[in-house]
Coordinates of all heavy atoms in Angstrom, one line a residue:
M3 N 0.8 -1.2 0.0 CA 0.0 0.0 0.0 C 0.9 1.3 0.0 O 0.6 2.2 -0.7 CB -0.9 0.0 1.2 CG -1.9 1.1 1.2 SD -3.2 0.8 2.4 CE -3.3 2.4 3.1
E4 N 2.0 1.2 0.8 CA 2.9 2.3 0.8 C 3.4 2.7 -0.5 O 3.5 3.8 -0.9 CB 4.0 2.0 1.8 CG 5.0 3.2 2.0 CD 4.4 4.4 2.6 OE1 3.3 4.3 3.3 OE2 4.9 5.5 2.4
R5 N 3.7 1.6 -1.3 CA 4.3 1.8 -2.6 C 3.3 2.4 -3.5 O 3.6 3.3 -4.4 CB 4.7 0.4 -3.2 CG 5.6 0.5 -4.4 CD 6.1 -0.9 -4.7 NE 6.5 -0.9 -6.1 CZ 6.6 -2.0 -6.8 NH1 6.4 -3.2 -6.3 NH2 7.0 -1.9 -8.0
Q6 N 2.0 2.0 -3.4 CA 1.0 2.6 -4.2 C 0.7 4.1 -3.9 O 0.4 4.9 -4.7 CB -0.3 1.9 -4.1 CG -0.3 0.5 -4.6 CD -1.5 -0.3 -4.3 OE1 -2.1 -0.1 -3.3 NE2 -1.8 -1.3 -5.1
A7 N 0.9 4.4 -2.6 CA 0.6 5.8 -2.1 C 1.7 6.8 -2.4 O 1.5 8.0 -2.5 CB 0.3 5.8 -0.6
L8 N 2.9 6.2 -2.7 CA 4.1 7.1 -2.9 C 3.9 8.1 -4.0 O 4.1 9.3 -3.8 CB 5.3 6.3 -3.1 CG 6.6 7.1 -3.1 CD1 6.8 7.8 -1.7 CD2 7.8 6.1 -3.3
P9 N 3.5 7.7 -5.2 CA 3.3 8.7 -6.3 C 2.3 9.8 -5.9 O 2.5 10.9 -6.3 CB 2.7 7.8 -7.4 CG 3.2 6.4 -7.1 CD 3.2 6.3 -5.6
L10 N 1.3 9.4 -5.1 CA 0.3 10.5 -4.7 C 0.9 11.4 -3.8 O 0.7 12.6 -3.8 CB -0.9 9.8 -4.0 CG -1.8 9.0 -5.0 CD1 -2.9 8.2 -4.1 CD2 -2.5 9.9 -6.0
K11 N 1.8 10.9 -2.8 CA 2.4 11.8 -1.9 C 3.4 12.7 -2.6 O 3.5 13.9 -2.2 CB 3.2 10.9 -0.9 CG 2.3 10.2 0.1 CD 3.1 9.5 1.1 CE 2.3 8.7 2.1 NZ 3.1 7.9 3.0
I12 N 4.1 12.2 -3.6 CA 5.0 13.0 -4.3 C 4.3 14.1 -5.1 O 4.6 15.3 -5.0 CB 5.9 12.2 -5.3 CG1 6.8 11.3 -4.5 CG2 6.7 13.1 -6.2 CD1 7.5 10.2 -5.3
L13 N 3.1 13.8 -5.6 CA 2.3 14.8 -6.3 C 1.9 15.9 -5.4 O 1.8 17.0 -5.7 CB 1.1 14.1 -6.9 CG 1.2 13.5 -8.3 CD1 -0.1 12.8 -8.7 CD2 1.5 14.6 -9.3
E14 N 1.5 15.5 -4.2 CA 1.1 16.4 -3.2 C 2.2 17.2 -2.5 O 2.0 18.1 -1.7 CB 0.2 15.7 -2.1 CG -1.1 15.1 -2.6 CD -1.8 14.3 -1.5 OE1 -1.2 14.2 -0.4 OE2 -2.9 13.9 -1.7
G15 N 3.4 16.7 -2.8 CA 4.6 17.3 -2.1 C 4.7 17.0 -0.7 O 5.3 17.7 0.1
K16 N 4.2 15.8 -0.3 CA 4.2 15.4 1.1 C 5.0 14.1 1.3 O 4.7 13.4 2.3 CB 2.7 15.1 1.6 CG 1.9 16.4 1.6 CD 0.5 16.0 2.1 CE -0.4 17.3 2.1 NZ -1.8 16.9 2.3
E17 N 6.0 13.9 0.5 CA 6.7 12.7 0.7 C 7.5 12.7 2.0 O 8.2 13.7 2.3 CB 7.7 12.5 -0.5 CG 8.5 11.2 -0.4 CD 9.5 11.1 -1.4 OE1 9.7 12.0 -2.3 OE2 10.3 10.1 -1.4
R18 N 7.3 11.7 2.8 CA 8.0 11.7 4.1 C 8.5 10.2 4.3 O 8.1 9.3 3.7 CB 7.0 12.0 5.2 CG 6.6 13.4 5.2 CD 5.7 13.7 6.3 NE 5.1 15.0 6.3 CZ 4.1 15.5 7.0 NH1 3.6 14.7 8.0 NH2 3.7 16.7 6.9
S19 N 9.4 10.1 5.4 CA 9.9 8.8 5.7 C 9.0 8.2 6.8 O 9.6 7.5 7.6 CB 11.3 8.9 6.1 OG 11.4 9.7 7.2
T20 N 7.8 8.4 6.8 CA 6.9 7.9 7.8 C 6.5 6.4 7.4 O 6.2 6.2 6.3 CB 5.6 8.7 7.9 OG1 6.0 10.1 8.2 CG2 4.7 8.2 9.0
G21 N 6.6 5.5 8.4 CA 6.1 4.2 8.2 C 4.7 4.0 8.8 O 4.3 4.7 9.7
Y22 N 4.0 3.0 8.2 CA 2.7 2.7 8.7 C 2.6 1.2 8.9 O 3.0 0.4 8.0 CB 1.6 3.2 7.7 CG 1.7 4.6 7.3 CD1 2.5 5.0 6.2 CD2 0.9 5.6 8.0 CE1 2.5 6.4 5.9 CE2 1.0 6.9 7.7 CZ 1.8 7.3 6.6 OH 1.9 8.6 6.2
I23 N 2.0 0.8 10.0 CA 1.7 -0.6 10.2 C 0.2 -0.7 10.6 O -0.3 0.0 11.5 CB 2.5 -1.2 11.4 CG1 4.0 -1.0 11.0 CG2 2.2 -2.6 11.6 CD1 5.0 -1.5 12.2
S24 N -0.5 -1.5 9.8 CA -1.9 -1.7 10.2 C -2.0 -3.1 10.8 O -1.4 -4.1 10.4 CB -2.8 -1.7 8.9 OG -2.8 -0.4 8.3
V25 N -2.8 -3.2 11.9 CA -3.1 -4.4 12.6 C -4.6 -4.7 12.5 O -5.4 -3.9 13.0 CB -2.6 -4.4 14.1 CG1 -2.9 -5.7 14.8 CG2 -1.1 -4.0 14.2
A26 N -4.9 -5.8 11.8 CA -6.3 -6.0 11.6 C -6.7 -7.5 11.6 O -5.8 -8.3 11.4 CB -6.7 -5.4 10.2
S27 N -7.9 -7.8 11.9 CA -8.4 -9.1 11.8 C -9.9 -9.1 11.6 O -10.5 -8.1 11.9 CB -8.0 -10.0 13.0 OG -8.9 -9.7 14.1
G28 N -10.5 -10.2 11.3 CA -11.9 -10.2 11.1 C -12.6 -10.5 12.4 O -13.9 -10.7 12.4
K29 N -11.9 -10.6 13.5 CA -12.5 -11.0 14.7 C -12.1 -10.1 15.8 O -10.9 -9.7 15.9 CB -12.1 -12.5 15.0 CG -12.8 -13.1 16.2 CD -12.5 -14.6 16.1 CE -12.9 -15.3 17.4 NZ -14.0 -14.8 18.2
G30 N -12.9 -9.9 16.8 CA -12.6 -9.1 17.9 C -12.0 -9.9 19.0 O -12.1 -11.1 19.1
G31 N -11.3 -9.2 19.9 CA -10.7 -9.9 21.1 C -9.6 -10.9 20.9 O -9.4 -11.8 21.7
V32 N -8.9 -10.7 19.8 CA -7.8 -11.6 19.5 C -6.4 -11.0 19.8 O -5.4 -11.6 19.5 CB -7.8 -12.1 18.0 CG1 -9.1 -12.9 17.7 CG2 -7.8 -10.9 17.0
G33 N -6.4 -9.8 20.3 CA -5.1 -9.2 20.7 C -4.5 -8.1 19.8 O -3.4 -7.7 20.0
K34 N -5.4 -7.6 18.9 CA -4.9 -6.5 18.0 C -4.4 -5.3 18.8 O -3.3 -4.8 18.6 CB -6.0 -6.0 17.1 CG -6.4 -7.1 16.1 CD -7.5 -6.6 15.2 CE -8.8 -6.1 15.9 NZ -9.5 -7.3 16.5
T35 N -5.2 -4.9 19.8 CA -4.8 -3.7 20.5 C -3.6 -3.9 21.4 O -2.7 -3.0 21.4 CB -6.0 -3.2 21.4 OG1 -7.1 -3.0 20.5 CG2 -5.7 -1.9 22.1
L36 N -3.5 -5.0 22.0 CA -2.4 -5.3 22.9 C -1.1 -5.4 22.1 O -0.1 -4.8 22.5 CB -2.6 -6.6 23.6 CG -1.6 -6.9 24.8 CD1 -1.8 -5.8 25.9 CD2 -1.8 -8.3 25.3
I37 N -1.1 -6.1 20.9 CA 0.1 -6.2 20.2 C 0.5 -4.8 19.6 O 1.7 -4.5 19.4 CB 0.0 -7.3 19.1 CG1 1.4 -7.7 18.6 CG2 -0.8 -6.8 17.8 CD1 1.5 -9.0 17.8
T38 N -0.5 -4.0 19.2 CA -0.2 -2.7 18.7 C 0.5 -1.8 19.8 O 1.5 -1.1 19.5 CB -1.6 -2.0 18.3 OG1 -2.1 -2.8 17.3 CG2 -1.3 -0.6 17.8
I39 N 0.0 -1.9 21.0 CA 0.6 -1.1 22.1 C 2.0 -1.6 22.3 O 3.0 -0.8 22.4 CB -0.2 -1.3 23.4 CG1 -1.6 -0.5 23.3 CG2 0.6 -0.8 24.6 CD1 -2.5 -0.8 24.4
N40 N 2.2 -2.9 22.3 CA 3.6 -3.4 22.5 C 4.5 -3.0 21.4 O 5.7 -2.7 21.7 CB 3.5 -4.9 22.8 CG 3.0 -5.2 24.2 OD1 3.1 -4.4 25.1 ND2 2.3 -6.4 24.3
M41 N 4.1 -3.1 20.2 CA 4.9 -2.7 19.1 C 5.2 -1.2 19.2 O 6.4 -0.8 18.9 CB 4.2 -3.0 17.7 CG 4.2 -4.4 17.3 SD 3.8 -4.7 15.6 CE 2.2 -3.9 15.5
G42 N 4.2 -0.4 19.5 CA 4.5 1.0 19.7 C 5.5 1.3 20.8 O 6.4 2.2 20.6
R43 N 5.4 0.6 21.9 CA 6.4 0.8 23.0 C 7.8 0.5 22.5 O 8.7 1.2 22.9 CB 6.0 0.0 24.2 CG 4.7 0.4 24.9 CD 4.3 -0.6 26.0 NE 5.3 -0.6 27.0 CZ 5.2 -0.1 28.2 NH1 4.1 0.5 28.5 NH2 6.1 -0.2 29.1
I44 N 7.9 -0.6 21.8 CA 9.2 -1.0 21.3 C 9.8 0.0 20.4 O 11.0 0.5 20.5 CB 9.2 -2.4 20.6 CG1 8.9 -3.5 21.7 CG2 10.5 -2.7 19.9 CD1 8.5 -4.8 21.1
M45 N 9.0 0.5 19.4 CA 9.5 1.5 18.5 C 9.8 2.8 19.2 O 10.8 3.4 18.9 CB 8.4 1.7 17.4 CG 8.3 0.6 16.4 SD 7.2 0.9 15.0 CE 5.7 0.2 15.7
Y46 N 9.0 3.2 20.1 CA 9.3 4.4 20.9 C 10.6 4.3 21.7 O 11.4 5.2 21.7 CB 8.1 4.7 21.8 CG 8.3 6.0 22.6 CD1 8.1 7.2 22.0 CD2 8.7 6.0 23.9 CE1 8.3 8.4 22.7 CE2 8.9 7.1 24.6 CZ 8.7 8.4 24.0 OH 8.9 9.5 24.7
S47 N 10.8 3.1 22.3 CA 12.0 2.9 23.1 C 13.2 2.9 22.2 O 14.4 3.1 22.6 CB 11.9 1.6 23.8 OG 12.1 0.5 23.0
R48 N 13.0 2.7 20.9 CA 14.1 2.8 19.9 C 14.2 4.2 19.2 O 14.9 4.3 18.2 CB 14.0 1.7 18.9 CG 14.2 0.3 19.5 CD 14.1 -0.8 18.6 NE 14.2 -2.1 19.2 CZ 14.3 -3.2 18.6 NH1 14.2 -3.3 17.3 NH2 14.4 -4.3 19.3
G49 N 13.6 5.1 19.8 CA 13.7 6.5 19.3 C 12.8 7.0 18.2 O 12.9 8.1 17.7
K50 N 11.8 6.1 17.9 CA 10.8 6.6 16.9 C 9.7 7.4 17.5 O 9.3 7.2 18.6 CB 10.2 5.3 16.2 CG 11.2 4.4 15.5 CD 11.8 5.1 14.3 CE 12.8 4.1 13.6 NZ 13.5 4.8 12.5
R51 N 9.2 8.3 16.7 CA 7.9 8.9 17.1 C 6.8 8.0 16.7 O 6.7 7.6 15.6 CB 7.8 10.3 16.5 CG 8.9 11.3 16.9 CD 8.8 12.6 16.2 NE 7.5 13.3 16.7 CZ 6.9 14.2 16.0 NH1 7.3 14.5 14.8 NH2 5.8 14.7 16.4
V52 N 5.9 7.8 17.6 CA 4.8 6.8 17.4 C 3.5 7.4 17.6 O 3.2 8.1 18.6 CB 5.0 5.6 18.4 CG1 3.9 4.6 18.2 CG2 6.4 4.9 18.2
L53 N 2.6 7.2 16.6 CA 1.2 7.6 16.8 C 0.3 6.3 16.7 O 0.4 5.6 15.7 CB 0.8 8.5 15.7 CG -0.7 8.9 15.6 CD1 -1.2 9.7 16.8 CD2 -1.0 9.7 14.3
L54 N -0.4 6.0 17.8 CA -1.3 4.8 17.8 C -2.7 5.3 17.5 O -3.2 6.2 18.2 CB -1.2 4.1 19.1 CG 0.2 3.6 19.5 CD1 0.0 2.9 20.9 CD2 0.7 2.6 18.5
I55 N -3.4 4.6 16.6 CA -4.8 5.0 16.3 C -5.6 3.7 16.4 O -5.3 2.7 15.7 CB -4.9 5.6 14.9 CG1 -4.1 6.8 14.7 CG2 -6.4 5.8 14.6 CD1 -4.1 7.4 13.3
D56 N -6.6 3.7 17.3 CA -7.5 2.6 17.4 C -8.6 2.9 16.5 O -9.5 3.7 16.7 CB -8.0 2.4 18.9 CG -8.7 1.1 19.1 OD1 -9.2 0.6 18.1 OD2 -8.8 0.7 20.2
G57 N -8.7 2.1 15.4 CA -9.7 2.4 14.4 C -11.0 1.6 14.6 O -11.8 1.5 13.7
D58 N -11.1 1.0 15.8 CA -12.3 0.3 16.1 C -13.4 1.3 16.4 O -13.5 1.8 17.5 CB -12.1 -0.7 17.3 CG -13.3 -1.6 17.6 OD1 -14.4 -1.2 17.2 OD2 -13.1 -2.6 18.2
L59 N -14.2 1.6 15.4 CA -15.2 2.7 15.6 C -16.3 2.3 16.5 O -17.0 3.1 17.0 CB -15.7 3.2 14.2 CG -14.6 3.7 13.3 CD1 -15.3 4.2 12.0 CD2 -13.8 4.9 13.9
G60 N -16.5 1.0 16.7 CA -17.6 0.5 17.6 C -17.2 0.6 19.0 O -18.0 1.0 19.9
L61 N -16.0 0.2 19.3 CA -15.6 0.1 20.8 C -14.1 0.2 20.9 O -13.4 -0.7 21.3 CB -16.1 -1.3 21.3 CG -16.2 -1.4 22.9 CD1 -17.2 -0.4 23.4 CD2 -16.5 -2.8 23.3
S62 N -13.6 1.4 20.5 CA -12.1 1.5 20.7 C -11.8 1.6 22.2 O -12.5 2.1 23.0 CB -11.7 2.8 20.0 OG -12.3 3.9 20.6
N63 N -10.7 0.9 22.6 CA -10.3 0.9 24.0 C -8.8 1.0 24.2 O -8.4 0.8 25.3 CB -10.8 -0.4 24.6 CG -10.1 -1.6 24.0 OD1 -9.5 -1.5 23.0 ND2 -10.3 -2.8 24.6
I64 N -8.1 1.5 23.2 CA -6.7 1.6 23.4 C -6.3 2.6 24.5 O -5.3 2.4 25.3 CB -6.0 2.0 22.1 CG1 -4.5 1.6 22.2 CG2 -6.2 3.4 21.7 CD1 -3.8 1.7 20.8
H65 N -7.1 3.6 24.7 CA -6.8 4.6 25.7 C -7.0 4.0 27.1 O -6.3 4.3 28.1 CB -7.7 5.8 25.6 CG -9.2 5.6 25.6 ND1 -9.8 4.8 24.6 CD2 -10.2 5.9 26.4 CE1 -11.1 4.7 24.9 NE2 -11.3 5.4 26.0
L66 N -8.0 3.1 27.2 CA -8.2 2.4 28.5 C -7.1 1.5 28.8 O -6.6 1.4 30.0 CB -9.6 1.6 28.5 CG -10.8 2.4 28.2 CD1 -12.0 1.5 28.1 CD2 -11.0 3.4 29.3
M67 N -6.6 0.8 27.8 CA -5.5 -0.1 28.1 C -4.2 0.6 28.4 O -3.3 0.1 29.1 CB -5.3 -1.1 26.9 CG -6.4 -2.1 26.7 SD -6.3 -3.1 25.2 CE -5.2 -4.3 25.7
L68 N -4.1 1.9 27.9 CA -2.9 2.7 28.2 C -3.1 3.5 29.5 O -2.2 4.1 30.0 CB -2.6 3.6 27.1 CG -2.0 3.0 25.8 CD1 -2.0 3.9 24.6 CD2 -0.6 2.5 26.1
G69 N -4.4 3.5 30.0 CA -4.7 4.3 31.2 C -4.6 5.8 31.0 O -4.2 6.5 31.9
I70 N -5.0 6.2 29.8 CA -4.9 7.7 29.5 C -6.3 8.2 29.1 O -7.1 7.4 28.6 CB -3.9 8.0 28.5 CG1 -4.2 7.3 27.2 CG2 -2.5 7.7 29.0 CD1 -3.3 7.7 26.0
T71 N -6.5 9.5 29.2 CA -7.7 10.1 28.6 C -7.2 11.1 27.5 O -6.8 12.2 27.8 CB -8.5 10.9 29.7 OG1 -8.8 10.0 30.7 CG2 -9.8 11.4 29.1
P72 N -7.3 10.7 26.3 CA -6.7 11.6 25.2 C -7.6 12.8 25.1 O -8.8 12.7 25.1 CB -6.8 10.7 23.9 CG -7.7 9.6 24.2 CD -7.8 9.4 25.7
P73 N -7.0 14.0 24.9 CA -7.7 15.2 24.7 C -8.5 15.3 23.4 O -9.5 16.0 23.3 CB -6.7 16.3 24.8 CG -5.4 15.6 24.4 CD -5.5 14.2 24.8
K74 N -8.1 14.5 22.4 CA -8.8 14.5 21.1 C -8.9 13.1 20.7 O -8.2 12.2 21.1 CB -8.0 15.3 20.1 CG -7.9 16.8 20.4 CD -7.1 17.5 19.3 CE -5.7 17.3 19.4 NZ -4.9 18.1 18.5
N75 N -9.9 12.9 19.8 CA -10.0 11.6 19.2 C -10.4 11.7 17.7 O -10.3 12.8 17.1 CB -11.1 10.8 19.9 CG -12.4 11.5 20.0 OD1 -12.9 12.1 19.0 ND2 -13.1 11.6 21.1
L76 N -10.7 10.6 17.0 CA -11.0 10.7 15.6 C -12.1 11.6 15.2 O -12.2 12.1 14.1 CB -11.2 9.2 15.1 CG -10.0 8.3 15.0 CD1 -10.4 6.9 14.5 CD2 -8.9 8.9 14.2
Y77 N -13.1 11.8 16.1 CA -14.2 12.7 15.9 C -13.6 14.1 15.6 O -14.0 14.7 14.6 CB -15.0 12.8 17.2 CG -16.1 13.9 17.1 CD1 -17.3 13.7 16.5 CD2 -15.8 15.2 17.5 CE1 -18.3 14.7 16.5 CE2 -16.7 16.2 17.4 CZ -18.0 16.0 16.9 OH -18.9 17.0 16.8
H78 N -12.6 14.5 16.4 CA -12.0 15.9 16.1 C -11.2 15.9 14.8 O -11.2 16.9 14.1 CB -11.1 16.2 17.3 CG -11.8 16.2 18.6 ND1 -11.8 15.1 19.4 CD2 -12.6 17.2 19.2 CE1 -12.5 15.4 20.5 NE2 -13.0 16.6 20.4
F79 N -10.6 14.8 14.5 CA -9.9 14.7 13.2 C -10.8 14.8 12.0 O -10.6 15.6 11.1 CB -9.0 13.4 13.2 CG -8.3 13.2 11.9 CD1 -7.2 14.0 11.6 CD2 -8.7 12.3 11.0 CE1 -6.5 13.8 10.4 CE2 -8.0 12.1 9.8 CZ -6.9 12.9 9.5
F80 N -11.8 14.0 12.0 CA -12.7 13.9 10.8 C -13.7 15.1 10.8 O -13.9 15.7 9.7 CB -13.5 12.6 10.8 CG -12.7 11.5 10.4 CD1 -12.4 10.4 11.3 CD2 -12.1 11.4 9.1 CE1 -11.6 9.3 10.9 CE2 -11.3 10.3 8.7 CZ -11.1 9.3 9.6
L81 N -14.3 15.5 11.9 CA -15.3 16.5 11.8 C -14.9 17.9 12.1 O -15.4 18.9 11.6 CB -16.5 16.1 12.8 CG -17.2 14.8 12.4 CD1 -18.4 14.6 13.3 CD2 -17.7 14.9 11.0
E82 N -13.8 18.0 12.9 CA -13.3 19.4 13.2 C -12.0 19.7 12.5 O -11.4 20.7 12.6 CB -13.2 19.6 14.7 CG -14.5 19.5 15.4 CD -14.4 19.7 16.9 OE1 -13.3 20.1 17.4 OE2 -15.4 19.6 17.6
M83 N -11.5 18.6 11.7 CA -10.3 18.8 10.9 C -9.1 19.2 11.7 O -8.2 20.0 11.3 CB -10.5 19.7 9.8 CG -11.5 19.2 8.8 SD -11.7 20.3 7.4 CE -12.4 19.2 6.2
L84 N -9.0 18.7 13.0 CA -7.9 19.0 13.8 C -6.8 18.0 13.6 O -7.1 16.8 13.2 CB -8.3 19.0 15.3 CG -9.2 20.1 15.7 CD1 -9.6 20.0 17.2 CD2 -8.6 21.5 15.5
P85 N -5.5 18.3 13.7 CA -4.5 17.4 13.5 C -4.5 16.3 14.6 O -5.0 16.5 15.7 CB -3.2 18.2 13.6 CG -3.6 19.4 14.4 CD -5.0 19.7 14.1
L86 N -3.9 15.1 14.2 CA -4.0 14.0 15.2 C -3.0 14.1 16.3 O -3.1 13.6 17.4 CB -3.7 12.7 14.4 CG -4.8 12.2 13.5 CD1 -4.3 11.0 12.7 CD2 -6.0 11.8 14.4
R87 N -1.9 14.9 16.1 CA -0.9 15.0 17.2 C -1.5 15.8 18.4 O -2.4 16.6 18.2 CB 0.3 15.7 16.7 CG 0.1 17.2 16.3 CD 1.4 17.9 15.9 NE 1.2 19.3 15.6 CZ 0.7 19.7 14.5 NH1 0.4 18.9 13.5 NH2 0.5 21.0 14.3
I88 N -1.0 15.4 19.5 CA -1.5 16.1 20.8 C -0.8 17.4 21.0 O 0.4 17.5 20.8 CB -1.3 15.1 22.0 CG1 -2.2 13.9 21.8 CG2 -1.7 15.8 23.3 CD1 -2.1 12.8 22.8
Ligands
LIG7 N1 -1.2 -12.7 24.1 C1 -2.1 -12.5 25.0 N2 -2.1 -13.3 26.1 C2 -3.1 -13.1 27.1 N3 -4.1 -12.2 27.0 C3 -4.2 -11.4 25.8 C4 -3.2 -11.6 24.8 N4 -3.5 -10.7 23.8 C5 -4.6 -10.1 24.2 N5 -5.0 -10.5 25.4 C6 -6.2 -10.0 26.2 O1 -7.3 -10.3 25.4 C7 -8.2 -9.3 25.5 C8 -8.5 -8.7 24.1 O2 -7.3 -8.2 23.6 P1 -7.4 -6.9 22.6 O3 -6.0 -6.5 22.3 O4 -8.2 -5.8 23.3 O5 -8.1 -7.5 21.4 P2 -8.6 -6.8 20.0 O6 -8.0 -5.4 19.9 O7 -8.2 -7.7 18.9 O8 -10.1 -6.7 20.2 C9 -7.6 -8.2 26.4 O9 -8.2 -8.4 27.7 C10 -6.2 -8.5 26.3 O10 -5.5 -8.1 27.5
LIG8 MG1 -8.9 -3.5 19.9

């Protein structure tokens, strides 16, 4: 997918060295959120800037597993067009 998106990013002048990892499955409760958190922690500990997005629009719970209350969520990104960074 990254390879397909590159020409579009170049056209938009937004080419960056950002990596993306999607964690998905057709079933709930199989550990997607937990493995995402752990991968994020490892990458952060290695000096990467990490943005975790829980795309479970029905019952996102990554903030609960991290014990945080994020000031913004996807509602603000999509409907108020605010950036995802805190
Ligand atoms: N490898 C694992 N060993 C034990 N429990 C796990 C493991 N992976 C996930 N869990 C637990 O299973 C439950 C569901 O995990 P979660 O990451 O929320 O799944 P998903 O995001 O796929 O719905 C959570 O309570 C989580 O702590
Ligand atoms: Mg989940």
Side-chain angles (χ1 to χ4, degrees):
M3 188 167 135
E4 182 65 24
R5 195 172 159 200
Q6 292 172 332
L8 189 58
L10 291 172
K11 287 182 182 175
I12 292 170
L13 272 178
E14 292 175 355
K16 292 179 182 172
E17 185 186 358
R18 293 181 186 172
S19 59
T20 305
Y22 304 89
I23 299 174
S24 297
V25 179
S27 81
K29 187 167 167 31
V32 293
K34 297 182 295 295
T35 301
L36 192 66
I37 201 168
T38 300
I39 289 171
N40 286 331
M41 286 196 300
R43 290 173 65 107
I44 291 168
M45 286 185 270
Y46 181 78
S47 73
R48 293 182 181 186
K50 300 291 184 188
R51 294 179 69 205
V52 177
L53 172 66
L54 300 179
I55 300 174
D56 191 337
D58 187 338
L59 300 182
L61 197 63
S62 64
N63 64 346
I64 198 168
H65 58 298
L66 299 176
M67 291 174 81
L68 288 167
I70 59 173
T71 305
K74 292 181 288 188
N75 55 43
L76 288 179
Y77 171 90
H78 302 94
F79 176 71
F80 284 117
L81 294 183
E82 296 184 7
M83 295 182 161
L84 293 179
L86 287 173
R87 67 177 181 278
I88 296 176

